[in-house]
Amino acid sequence: MVVLDLWDEVVPAWNQTNNFYGKPFVWNMLHNFGGRTGLYGTIQRVNEGPFIAMKAASNMIGIGMTPEAIETNPIVYALITESAWNTAPVNLTRWVADYVYSRYPAPNRGGNISAVMEAWQTLSQTVYSCYTRQEGTSGNLLAARPNFKLERVGCCAPLAIYYNATKLLDIARTIQQYFDIIGSSATLAYDLVDLLLQITANDAVTLYNNITQAYAKGDAAALLRYSSDFMKLFEIDALVNFMPKYRLSTWVNEARAWGADAAEADLLELNAKTQVTLWGNKFSPLSQYAYKMWSGLIADFYQPRWEMWFKALAQSLQTGQPVNMAQFTAQVETFELSWTQQQQQQQQDAAFEEHADTASRVLAWAIGFLEQRQ
């Protein structure tokens, strides 16, 4: 028997069970729940945890990973995989610097990689130093089913932000400036898109609170102003579209490719779209468990739901009647189920390199757009 301690970086079980009573065990990092999009990490714990266990428990026989999805927050996975070759924690400041050097192209045209490195040091000490017990990244409110007093997206992604987010936009500017100098770099673009999505998510929470207060005060003008600003955040769909990883079409096309015939391909598309939205039928308690911030989901699935919500709030203030939540929920559930069941014409996927010429323009637009929101 070998025991897999599944979520050691947050809730280790080995030290609660007398080292699993002597049974051999593997120290594991879980990190990701449902493949949800967002910046998140516990790199201090990942760096130190395996070696604390190794020193305390002679029956620890390895280091592993148990994520529910991968291809998010690469820095975290770079650290845990390297830990398997180490005998002690690394110096994180030096390690992060080495990570930046290895991940990004060399500055052969005057690029200031020192500024990028400093930006990543800040990220490592804020976004990637979570000490709460939350299950993965903080939720992106744009992906939530609208309601009053939202505290999480779906069942499990809290909206609370556990770090000081004030420097994120400055970090984005630094990385975007380096991208402009270096030119085409899929890793730079990937990290910058992740960062801009997180800034958008954080901004959405602020606007949501303003909208809630305006509605409570019966201030129709403020409600219109803040809800209009909120809806503009969905323009971020254009930002992520040039990255194949961030397109719903990539996910659906790969699913359909497994179909032996058209009927089976349609079924696989239904399953693929359901997995990243409802995770079951329209009453599923795990709805939005595996939400993604992808082009095709942002504009076509998330945006219409919030349009319905703001329309309901505006009508409520106009008529003086409270929002009929049963009616609104039924309307949203009908839309969600219908969306998953529709076979949509998906765009043909192209590699990042085919979009590289537009990447700098789109990234610069996104930063300018978010700067106006600050």
Side-chain angles (χ1 to χ4, degrees), residues 129 194 284:
S129 289
D194 265 358
S284 171

Side-chain angles (χ1 to χ4, degrees), residues 178-194:
Y178 190 72
F179 181 89
D180 280 348
I181 294 170
I182 293 301
S184 177
S185 169
T187 51
L188 267 169
Y190 175 99
D191 292 342
L192 190 50
V193 166
D194 265 358

Side-chain angles (χ1 to χ4, degrees), residues 36-148:
R36 297 192 287 270
T37 309
L39 300 183
Y40 166 76
T42 57
I43 61 173
Q44 191 73 39
R45 292 173 174 176
V46 170
N47 184 38
E48 298 174 355
F51 305 103
I52 293 173
M54 189 182 300
K55 184 177 180 179
S58 60
N59 54 318
M60 175 186 156
I61 61 171
I63 298 173
M65 296 182 288
T66 53
E68 294 184 357
I70 55 174
E71 298 184 355
T72 64
N73 299 286
I75 189 173
V76 179
Y77 294 88
L79 180 60
I80 187 63
T81 51
E82 185 174 318
S83 295
W85 302 98
N86 297 332
T87 58
V90 299
N91 180 304
L92 277 177
T93 300
R94 288 200 298 266
W95 185 88
V96 170
D98 290 341
Y99 174 80
V100 173
Y101 272 124
S102 65
R103 184 161 176 79
Y104 297 152
N108 56 1
R109 285 180 285 174
N112 186 4
I113 199 169
S114 297
V116 176
M117 195 175 303
E118 183 179 346
W120 267 101
Q121 296 291 352
T122 301
L123 287 174
S124 72
Q125 296 160 15
T126 54
V127 174
Y128 290 112
S129 289
C130 180
Y131 285 95
T132 71
R133 193 172 169 169
Q134 66 188 62
E135 297 179 359
T137 181
S138 296
N140 192 314
L141 186 64
L142 299 183
R145 180 186 286 176
N147 206 327
F148 292 111

Side-chain angles (χ1 to χ4, degrees), residues 163-275:
Y163 54 89
N164 184 341
T166 57
K167 294 184 179 180
L168 289 190
L169 190 55
D170 287 338
I171 291 172
R173 290 191 197 99
T174 298
I175 297 177
Q176 194 267 335
Q177 289 166 4
Y178 190 72
F179 181 89
D180 280 348
I181 294 170
I182 293 301
S184 177
S185 169
T187 51
L188 267 169
Y190 175 99
D191 292 342
L192 190 50
V193 166
D194 265 358
L195 188 55
L196 293 172
L197 282 172
Q198 189 62 58
I199 295 169
T200 306
N202 297 349
D203 195 23
V205 173
T206 300
L207 285 170
Y208 173 79
N209 291 334
N210 291 340
I211 290 165
T212 301
Q213 293 172 11
Y215 177 78
K217 294 177 180 178
D219 189 338
L223 174 66
L224 177 61
R225 181 171 68 255
Y226 289 129
S227 61
S228 296
D229 287 343
F230 190 99
M231 293 308 299
K232 289 177 182 177
L233 295 180
F234 289 101
E235 294 179 22
I236 212 75
D237 187 277
L239 165 68
V240 301
N241 187 54
F242 73 86
M243 298 286 287
K245 175 187 179 298
Y246 285 101
R247 299 185 202 127
L248 175 66
S249 60
T250 301
W251 175 254
V252 170
N253 290 343
E254 289 177 354
R256 292 187 64 88
W258 285 95
D261 52 36
E264 188 173 44
D266 288 348
L267 176 61
L268 291 170
E269 177 176 346
L270 168 65
N271 289 336
K273 292 166 70 177
T274 299
Q275 197 272 338

Side-chain angles (χ1 to χ4, degrees), residues 11-31:
V11 187
W14 65 268
N15 57 4
Q16 305 297 319
T17 57
N18 193 22
N19 301 344
F20 293 111
Y21 308 102
K23 296 296 183 182
F25 74 94
V26 176
W27 192 102
N28 287 285
M29 179 192 80
L30 201 165
H31 180 260

